[in-house]
Each structure stands twice: as structure tokens, then as C-alpha cells.
Amino acid sequence: ISAIGSTVFTVVPYVANLFFALRIRNIIKQNPTAMSWFQHKSFLFASLVVLTGGCYPALRLISSNMFGWDVFSCGLTRFELKSFTKFKIMGTVVLENLPQLVCQVLYAFVTRDIQQAVVISFIASFLSALSSVISFIIDNESKDTKVVQYYIDVRSTSEDIISDEVQESCTKQSGRRRVLSEQIAAVYQVQAKSIEVGSTMVTSHGSRTHIVHYVAQNDIDALQSHVENNAIDGVTVTAEYLASHSFEANKDEIAAVFRAHFRLADHFDVMFGDYLSAFSGVMTRLQSVSATDGVTSISDAGSKSNCTFRE
């Protein structure tokens, strides 16, 4: 029974992780950088899953930004990776580690032969499963930190298309994410781990950097208390409010940080934006078409402006 169980609970989690890998693009569709990476390098990810038998370890590797290489920088942030720990819990702990522990106990009980290697293997597997479960519970029950995701756009105030040299400089420096996150955190006067820098996309006018800002609930409560004590009307402090106003209050210093990091001239400035701000030009065009031609839907605007929208 133990032999059959060990075989079954080796094959089943392997197949389960392959299934998780097949669904990965449906899960990361909110991250355009990751979608683009998987569009062109899905074979590498699939190969890693097949070789390791684990979807989560493969995701950690291709998100590690190791050596600053693009092949290890799929665009997923640590915050996004936390949502994939359920793959690790289900595919490794529930379907593999725990059943294997039961098989080990049954084997030792039936044979009455408890060897030192079996004991060490059992303890190591148990501690590994326990640490994974505790980590998962802590991450999912943490209510003292709010997460805000936004983008910092760097654009040339001259509106000219940046040179190839500037684009190359932005591309080279985009891999130094930890350095940039520490510098941003220093400007905001928060802990270094409170700011996570994701992927940076180089555009024709500058760059666009994904930021994950961890805002402490205590800071939100303190600022809300200050607002109420000073009778400031119409202000409700949220994590988004605190993040955006932290940027606006330190905009000049943030601009200096980005110019130094990407080695840009003084005519580059920074802007705070969300995901849709990247499509501001498209939205402006659609609104213009709608106002002049009486368009009532985006699909209608697409047809009248000779545009084709694809997923």
C-alpha cells in the first residue's frame, strides 16, 4: 500500500502542476508585461515545470530578476507571486508532502523497522509542509498592510522621441529594481520593503515603471485622525490617497531619482498614473470621435476610426 501510495502521490501532484501551468496566462492577464513575456517565452516556463515538477518554483525562478536578464524577469512582482502560493500549497503540500508523510508512517508501522534515514526524511518533510502552511496563513490573514499598485511614467518634456542611446540606457538600468525601490522608499521616508519596483517598459518618449506600494494601516489611521482633528472636509484617507499624495508631495525628488537611475537629462519629468493612463491617447481619440461622429460605443468608435481592437 505504501509503495502504491508513494507512486500515486508522486504522479498526481506532477500532473496537477502541469495543469496549473496551462492556466497561468488566464491568471496573469492583469499584468501586461508578464503577458508579453509568456507570449514569447512560454516554452521556457513549460520546460521548467516539466523538469522540476513544480509550477510555483518555476514562477519564482523566472521572476527572480537574476543577473538582470530578461529571461529571468517575466514582470511578476513579489506581491503577485504571493497569490500563486496556493499552487504550492495544493500542488506540493496537499497532494504530495502530506500523503507521502502518511505513506512513510504506514511503512514504518507495518515493517517495524524505523531507520534513522526514515526519521530524518519524515521530520524534514513535516517541517517543510508546516512552514509552507504557516507562511500561507500569515500572508492571507495580514490586514495591517494595504497594497496599492500604480505606475510612474518618465517622459521628455520636449515631446520629442527619445534617442536610441536613451532607450538603451533605460533598458540597461531597468534590471536594477532593488536599488530603485530603495531610493524611492528613502524619498517617501518609509521602510525599504514598503516599495517594490516591478517591470519597466521603455516607450518612445521615456519609460513606464510598475510600482507596488505597501501602505501600513497605522499610517492610514494616523493621517485620517489628523484630517478629522483639523476639521478638513471632504477627505477620506485611503491607501490609494496616501500613495498618490506621497508621490505628489515628493515629485521633484522622485523625478531626480529616476533621472539619475536611468541616466536621463533634466528635461525628463515624472507622472503618477494607473494602468489605464497608458491608454490616455487612445481614450482621447475615442472621445473625440464620439463627440464628432455620434459614436455610442468603443466598438463603434473603432470601426469609424478604422481601428481594430484585439485581445
Side-chain angles (χ1 to χ4, degrees):
I1 294 176
S2 296
I4 295 174
S6 296
T7 303
V8 169
F9 292 110
T10 299
V11 174
V12 169
Y14 185 86
V15 174
N17 277 279
L18 294 179
F19 174 74
F20 294 151
L22 291 174
R23 296 182 59 247
I24 193 67
R25 290 187 61 184
N26 293 329
I27 302 174
I28 63 167
K29 57 186 177 182
Q30 296 299 324
N31 187 321
T33 302
M35 284 291 290
S36 177
W37 190 96
F38 277 92
Q39 181 72 30
H40 298 91
K41 298 182 175 66
S42 58
F43 179 78
L44 172 62
F45 172 69
S47 300
L48 289 173
V49 175
V50 170
L51 291 174
T52 64
C55 182
Y56 184 73
L59 284 173
R60 287 294 301 267
L61 179 60
I62 63 175
S63 304
S64 63
N65 195 37
M66 187 165 54
F67 307 123
W69 293 352
D70 179 66
V71 70
F72 296 125
S73 302
C74 72
L76 292 174
T77 62
R78 292 195 310 270
F79 169 70
E80 290 170 315
L81 281 174
K82 285 183 180 180
S83 65
F84 294 110
T85 54
K86 58 187 178 184
F87 292 158
K88 180 180 180 180
I89 295 298
M90 180 58 67
T92 302
V93 177
V94 175
L95 295 179
E96 184 174 7
N97 288 355
L98 294 181
Q100 292 287 359
L101 288 175
V102 174
C103 291
Q104 290 179 21
V105 171
L106 287 176
Y107 178 79
F109 178 77
V110 172
T111 61
R112 306 289 183 178
D113 182 19
I114 304 177
Q115 299 180 359
Q116 184 178 10
V118 175
V119 174
I120 294 176
S121 175
F122 178 86
I123 295 176
S125 298
F126 176 77
L127 292 178
S128 175
L130 182 62
S131 63
S132 298
V133 172
I134 292 176
S135 176
F136 178 77
I137 293 174
I138 292 175
D139 288 340
N140 283 273
E141 290 190 352
S142 177
K143 298 180 180 179
D144 56 351
T145 302
K146 305 296 183 182
V147 178
V148 182
Q149 298 190 69
Y150 54 90
Y151 293 85
I152 294 181
D153 295 327
V154 180
R155 291 181 63 89
S156 171
T157 56
S158 65
E159 296 298 329
D160 294 332
I161 296 178
I162 61 176
S163 64
D164 293 340
E165 290 77 9
V166 173
Q167 289 190 17
E168 183 179 358
S169 176
C170 290
T171 301
K172 285 183 177 180
Q173 299 302 317
S174 62
R176 301 174 63 237
R177 298 186 300 190
R178 188 175 68 177
V179 173
L180 183 58
S181 66
E182 291 174 350
Q183 292 174 339
I184 296 173
V187 172
Y188 287 165
Q189 298 184 27
V190 296
Q191 294 294 325
K193 295 296 184 181
S194 297
I195 300 294
E196 180 183 359
V197 173
S199 60
T200 294
M201 178 179 65
V202 180
T203 68
S204 60
H205 294 282
S207 64
R208 181 174 173 82
T209 301
H210 182 198
I211 303 295
V212 179
H213 192 156
Y214 299 89
V215 181
Q217 184 63 47
N218 289 339
D219 294 340
I220 298 174
D221 295 339
L223 187 55
Q224 183 62 48
S225 177
H226 174 77
V227 168
E228 293 173 354
N229 292 338
N230 289 273
I232 303 176
D233 297 328
V235 175
T236 300
V237 179
T238 61
E240 291 77 9
Y241 177 93
L242 197 153
S244 62
H245 280 70
S246 295
F247 173 85
E248 293 298 335
N250 300 279
K251 184 177 179 179
D252 292 340
E253 293 181 70
I254 293 295
V257 165
F258 272 79
R259 284 195 292 263
H261 183 82
F262 291 109
R263 300 175 183 176
L264 302 173
D266 292 339
H267 60 83
F268 283 87
D269 201 3
V270 295
M271 292 177 289
F272 182 96
D274 57 14
Y275 174 70
L276 289 178
S277 64
F279 305 102
S280 57
V282 176
M283 298 304 295
T284 301
R285 169 62 179 161
L286 291 176
Q287 292 171 359
S288 175
V289 173
S290 177
T292 57
D293 297 347
V295 177
T296 58
S297 67
I298 291 181
S299 59
D300 192 13
S303 62
K304 292 199 174 190
S305 60
N306 196 28
C307 295
T308 300
F309 293 89
R310 297 179 180 175
E311 292 185 359

